């Protein structure tokens, strides 16, 4: 699933003078006995002035058996 937001009259009221395109991608997958959730956010400045942007992605997932939960792909972080 991809959610997209572009500058518009509504965003201009909140962030005047900022032109941008934002995509938030959500991928759910099942491979054998492993379920995965991936999220990605992409922001592009489509205007001619600097765009200051920050974000934080927090996933809250209900887990029925916490002792069986695993996290993969953090590269030792």
């Amino acid at each position: 699933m991809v959610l997209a937001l572009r500058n518009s009259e509504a965003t201009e009221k909140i962030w005047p003078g900022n032109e941008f395109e934002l995509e938030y991608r959500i991928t759910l997958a099942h491979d054998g006995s492993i379920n995965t959730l991936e999220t990605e956010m992409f922001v592009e400045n489509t205007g001619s002035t600097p765009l200051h942007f920050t974000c934080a992605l927090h996933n809250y997932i209900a887990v029925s058996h916490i002792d069986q939960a695993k996290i993969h792909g953090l590269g030792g972080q």
Side-chain angles (χ1 to χ4, degrees):
M1 172 188 290
V2 176
L3 305 174
L5 178 66
R6 292 184 178 84
N7 57 291
S8 65
E9 287 182 26
T11 64
E12 187 67 24
K13 292 177 184 176
I14 302 168
W15 305 298
N18 291 298
E19 297 178 31
F20 65 92
E21 291 183 3
L22 180 143
E23 282 191 1
Y24 181 53
R25 297 181 189 169
I26 304 163
T27 306
L28 300 172
H30 178 74
D31 183 15
S33 62
I34 299 174
N35 296 317
T36 61
L37 165 69
E38 294 182 14
T39 61
E40 300 174 284
M41 184 173 287
F42 301 91
V43 177
E44 181 179 352
N45 180 358
T46 57
S48 58
T49 59
L51 173 67
H52 301 282
F53 176 82
T54 61
C55 77
L57 302 176
H58 299 276
N59 295 319
Y60 298 95
I61 303 167
V63 177
S64 58
H65 298 287
I66 191 65
D67 58 327
Q68 296 177 13
K70 296 180 182 180
I71 299 174
H72 300 275
L74 295 179
Q77 300 298 314

